[in-house]
Amino acid sequence: MDERDIALWWAKIRSGGPQRVPPGGATPTGLRRLVEADAQAVWLVPNLPESAGPAVLDEYGLPSQSVVDHKGTMRVLAACLRCCWANPGSDLWPGETAALDQVAVVFAHLTPGRGTRDRHRTLLGGVRRLDRAGWLRYDEARRTVRLGARVASWGSLDLSTLRELWRMVPSGDDQSQPHKAGGSR
């Protein structure tokens, strides 16, 4: 792979986020491959150090925050993480497929007091925004979600925080209130 090919791949990543490609191809310098669970495709994502702050991301032309920070969208992401990351002791990506209905149950726990219609609209809007940004993969026909390749870019400090938050979010299986940190599980 020559410099021109590498530059083209980086341009694709910068403009469209993680790129899904068939397995078996070369990996451009500075990118890493994430194999999907069924091994039918791989994702090319930037291989940046954990310490990469806004200045480094700016230098590479990558957005430091690709999703508008709406509280509803962040709660949607939290609900999807809870449903798609069955075991917080395991790797986050690729996770598991979750039914949108299961995510909706968890999201309802995270948004008490909202009406059903408003909650549904916020959930779908958040899932679609997160899908476009590469944080989730949403299959509208099957009404399922999976974690997107972009979550693999989170570093160990991020994952430590996410594991703690994961324990506080109720699963879609139970009807209880969110679990308190340090509570039995």
Side-chain angles (χ1 to χ4, degrees), residues 81 85 92 154 158-167:
L81 282 169
W85 191 20
L92 179 61
W154 284 329
D158 298 320
L159 291 175
S160 175
T161 302
L162 285 171
R163 284 184 177 98
E164 199 56 38
L165 290 172
W166 185 93
R167 288 175 190 61

Side-chain angles (χ1 to χ4, degrees), residues 9 12 18-28 33-34 36 39-44:
W9 275 110
K12 289 178 184 179
Q19 298 292 303
R20 187 174 191 257
V21 297
T27 304
R33 302 168 71 81
L34 299 173
E36 284 193 342
Q40 297 299 309
V42 297
W43 289 87
L44 297 177

Side-chain angles (χ1 to χ4, degrees), residues 10-19 46 48 52-68 132-135 150 153-154:
W10 272 97
K12 289 178 184 179
I13 297 287
R14 287 177 182 153
S15 66
Q19 298 292 303
L48 300 173
V56 173
L57 297 173
D58 209 28
E59 180 180 332
Y60 279 96
L62 298 171
S64 57
Q65 187 173 14
S66 62
V67 176
V68 178
R132 281 192 307 273
W135 294 107
R150 194 167 223 152
S153 67
W154 284 329

Side-chain angles (χ1 to χ4, degrees), residues 138-177:
Y138 176 46
D139 185 335
E140 196 153 356
R142 291 190 174 120
R143 295 184 49 82
T144 59
V145 295
R146 275 191 86 85
L147 298 176
R150 194 167 223 152
V151 301
S153 67
W154 284 329
S156 58
L157 187 57
D158 298 320
L159 291 175
S160 175
T161 302
L162 285 171
R163 284 184 177 98
E164 199 56 38
L165 290 172
W166 185 93
R167 288 175 190 61
M168 297 169 56
V169 176
S171 72
D173 301 335
D174 63 72
Q175 299 301 315
S176 65
Q177 294 299 314

